[in-house]
């Protein structure tokens, strides 16, 4: 599997993770490929995990290449000295067009692997800003100031605008052209409509921090083709709404 390397030096490697790929091996299915194992095979040595992305989230992720870098980066992430930015498609019109969500997050009391906003949870802070809006969807940029599990997904669900295609916190329905295009006609060759997007519409597009030696790292990854295709079709068939 090809791995898109965005930056590398002797201390770290930053790659553009494809959607659907695990960051670390699955405890219950070791045969599934994982990003850190692929990088270890590529570099011929141990690669240290510094932070994680959900399996279906694409985008920028950083790994350490030695123990010293791992210690430094782990502290950096723990003390929130890393700027992490995401982009995502959500359902509905988001108002106000920019804001901050400060809601604690805890494990769901009954559903394993799911999180929920709860008073007794750990505080989580997410800033959002609307980039584009259409009648049924909005494209947002996020900056997270904490690193809770499923943070953006839980926070957006909590304000009524779950991430598109989110099976855990939304309806999980794929993004179909027929939803936004009037008089849509399916190709005669197809028995069912092929979705433009069928995975979580969330992408880590930028990471920004300083290395131990003072080097400024600022790495970005463009929106992937599947999310970009949705944005393109929304702009083609839907009248954009003015943010307010």
């Amino acid at each position: 599997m090809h791995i898109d390397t965005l930056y590398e030096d002797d201390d770290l490697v930053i790659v553009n993770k494809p959607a659907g790929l695990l960051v670390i091996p699955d405890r219950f299915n070791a045969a599934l490929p994982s990003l850190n194992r692929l990088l270890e095979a590529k570099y011929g040595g141990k690669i240290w995990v510094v932070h994680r992305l959900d399996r279906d989230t694409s985008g920028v992720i950083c790994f350490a290449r030695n123990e010293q870098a791992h210690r430094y980066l782990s502290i950096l992430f723990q003390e929130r000295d890393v700027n992490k930015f995401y982009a995502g498609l959500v359902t509905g019109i988001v108002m106000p067009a920019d804001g901050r969500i400060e809601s604690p997050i805890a494990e769901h009391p009954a559903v394993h692997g799911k999180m929920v906003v709860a008073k007794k949870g750990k505080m989580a802070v997410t800033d959002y800003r609307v980039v584009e809006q259409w009648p049924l969807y909005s494209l947002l940029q996020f900056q997270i100031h904490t690193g809770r599990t499923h943070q953006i997904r839980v926070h957006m669900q909590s304000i009524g605008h779950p991430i598109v295609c989110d099976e855990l916190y939304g309806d999980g329905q794929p993004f179909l052209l027929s939803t936004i295009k009037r008089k849509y006609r399916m190709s005669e060759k197809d028995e069912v409509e092929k979705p433009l997007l069928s995975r979580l519409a969330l992408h880590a597009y930028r990471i920004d921090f300083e290395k131990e030696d003072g080097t400024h790292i600022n790495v970005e990854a463009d929106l992937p083709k599947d999310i970009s295709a949705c944005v393109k079709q929304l702009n083609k068939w839907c009248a954009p709404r003015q943010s307010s």
Side-chain angles (χ1 to χ4, degrees):
M1 180 183 293
H2 171 72
I3 301 297
D4 181 14
T5 301
L6 302 171
Y7 175 88
E8 65 176 305
D9 59 26
D10 292 339
D11 297 316
L12 56 89
V13 56
I14 302 175
V15 301
N16 186 8
K17 186 183 92 66
L21 181 63
L22 293 166
V23 172
I24 61 173
D26 189 307
R27 287 182 298 170
F28 305 104
N29 189 350
L32 289 174
S34 64
L35 187 51
N36 80 313
R37 288 254 178 94
L38 291 170
L39 288 172
E40 286 179 342
K42 176 180 178 179
Y43 289 99
K46 183 171 175 60
I47 294 290
W48 284 260
V49 176
V50 177
H51 64 124
R52 301 182 189 181
L53 295 175
D54 294 343
R55 180 175 181 173
D56 283 336
T57 300
S58 58
V60 180
I61 184 168
C62 176
F63 295 86
R65 297 184 63 186
N66 57 64
E67 288 189 30
Q68 183 175 340
H70 179 237
R71 283 194 297 270
Y72 172 76
L73 290 169
S74 295
I75 293 171
L76 207 65
F77 275 83
Q78 185 176 343
E79 296 185 350
R80 304 171 190 172
D81 289 327
V82 178
N83 296 312
K84 294 177 286 185
F85 300 89
Y86 293 73
L89 270 177
V90 306
T91 59
I93 302 299
V94 181
M95 296 179 67
D98 59 83
R100 168 168 286 194
I101 305 170
E102 295 181 273
S103 301
I105 292 175
E107 292 184 6
H108 194 287
V111 183
H112 177 70
K114 188 174 183 178
M115 310 300 287
V116 65
V117 167
K119 290 182 179 179
K120 294 183 179 180
K122 295 180 179 179
M123 180 50 66
V125 182
T126 304
D127 289 334
Y128 73 85
R129 179 176 68 84
V130 172
V131 180
E132 294 183 81
Q133 289 198 122
W134 307 272
L136 298 176
Y137 301 97
S138 299
L139 177 66
L140 270 61
Q141 288 182 349
F142 306 97
Q143 182 177 8
I144 58 173
H145 300 281
T146 48
R148 310 302 176 208
T149 300
H150 301 168
Q151 178 172 319
I152 293 173
R153 299 165 66 184
V154 175
H155 273 173
M156 292 313 296
Q157 180 203 39
S158 75
I159 64 169
H161 301 284
I163 303 291
V164 171
C165 300
D166 194 333
E167 295 182 350
L168 198 55
Y169 301 100
D171 61 15
Q173 294 300 306
F175 188 103
L176 300 173
L177 183 58
S178 59
T179 304
I180 60 172
K181 181 181 177 182
R182 292 181 181 179
K183 300 180 181 178
Y184 170 80
R185 289 185 179 181
M186 192 167 60
S187 169
E188 294 180 357
K189 297 183 292 183
D190 297 326
E191 293 184 2
V192 294
E193 182 181 355
K194 295 179 180 178
L196 291 174
L197 184 75
S198 56
R199 61 94 172 181
L200 187 70
L202 188 61
H203 176 70
Y205 78 88
R206 180 182 159 203
I207 197 167
D208 183 332
F209 60 90
E210 281 195 1
K211 287 182 58 181
E212 193 168 11
D213 64 6
T215 303
H216 184 207
I217 304 296
N218 184 8
V219 177
E220 295 191 23
D222 292 337
L223 272 181
K225 291 181 180 179
D226 52 4
I227 298 179
S228 293
C230 296
V231 172
K232 182 178 180 180
Q233 293 300 325
L234 283 163
N235 282 327
K236 183 175 182 180
W237 300 109
C238 302
R241 293 176 61 98
Q242 295 297 320
S243 298
S244 58

